[in-house]
Each structure stands twice: as structure tokens, then as C-alpha cells.
Amino acid sequence: MISVEVICVLPQQVWRHTVQVPAGTIAQQLLEQAELAAWLVAQQVDAVAFGIYGQKISPDTYVLVDGDRLEIYRGLTRDPKDVRRVRANRHPVGRRWRQK
């Protein structure tokens, strides 16, 4: 048996769970476990990607090893370009000229 941590971060909460799985388990098999699948459905999480310590993986081919942290990535809620544009308009550093 190996120990794997599963983590999913939502705006209001963090779901973090350590599970014991047999050696040679594929990430997809872990994601299909009843508790995790039910939680994702209950929280209305649309998982768009998965990773191990920030490195994107394909869950149907990645074989888990002891100590892995399987991260569930969700879709963006806002466009990053729009966020930067709004922030630049609020704080226009170097854009204002003093008028004499």
C-alpha cells in the first residue's frame, strides 16, 4: 500500500484527504473512488486538469507512487486579461502626467 494525498482548492474551502491505495494504482482509479467522486459532484466542481505537485498529468496513464499529491484543477472563473486590465485602471502607475 502507498499513501497519496488528494487536494482540491475551492474559493471557500480546501478539500484535502490522504488515502491508502495499492501500489500500481492509476490516478484515474483513485479519482473514481466513491468518496472523492461524490464530493466533486456535491461541490459542482468541473475538473479541467490534474497534476502532481504542479506538474500536469494524464490521469488515465499516470501510475501513482508513494508520497504523491494529486491536485485537481478547476476552470478559471474570470479572464486573467480582464483582471489585469481592471487593476491597471485602478492604479495607473506611470500613466498620469502632472498638469501645470
Side-chain angles (χ1 to χ4, degrees):
M1 297 294 275
I2 60 173
S3 179
V4 177
E5 183 178 26
V6 182
I7 188 163
C8 182
V9 178
L10 298 176
Q12 301 300 324
Q13 81 183 83
V14 174
W15 191 84
R16 188 178 196 172
H17 193 69
T18 303
V19 295
Q20 300 288 325
V21 295
T25 301
I26 296 174
Q28 186 65 37
Q29 293 170 332
L30 177 59
L31 293 169
E32 291 170 354
Q33 286 186 349
E35 182 181 344
L36 177 58
W39 183 84
L40 290 172
V41 170
Q43 299 299 318
Q44 299 175 349
V45 174
D46 293 328
V48 294
F50 303 93
I52 301 291
Y53 289 107
Q55 298 295 315
K56 191 174 177 182
I57 63 160
S58 175
D60 51 348
T61 59
Y62 184 82
V63 178
L64 296 167
V65 296
D66 192 33
D68 274 349
R69 181 178 73 193
L70 179 62
E71 300 163 346
I72 301 170
Y73 305 128
R74 55 191 174 84
L76 297 176
T77 56
R78 297 186 297 180
D79 183 15
K81 289 181 183 179
D82 290 338
V83 172
R84 286 191 295 272
R85 197 172 294 119
V86 168
R87 187 173 53 232
N89 287 335
R90 283 189 199 150
H91 306 286
V93 176
R95 294 183 184 182
R96 291 187 185 167
W97 295 94
R98 289 189 195 184
Q99 294 189 8
K100 295 181 180 179

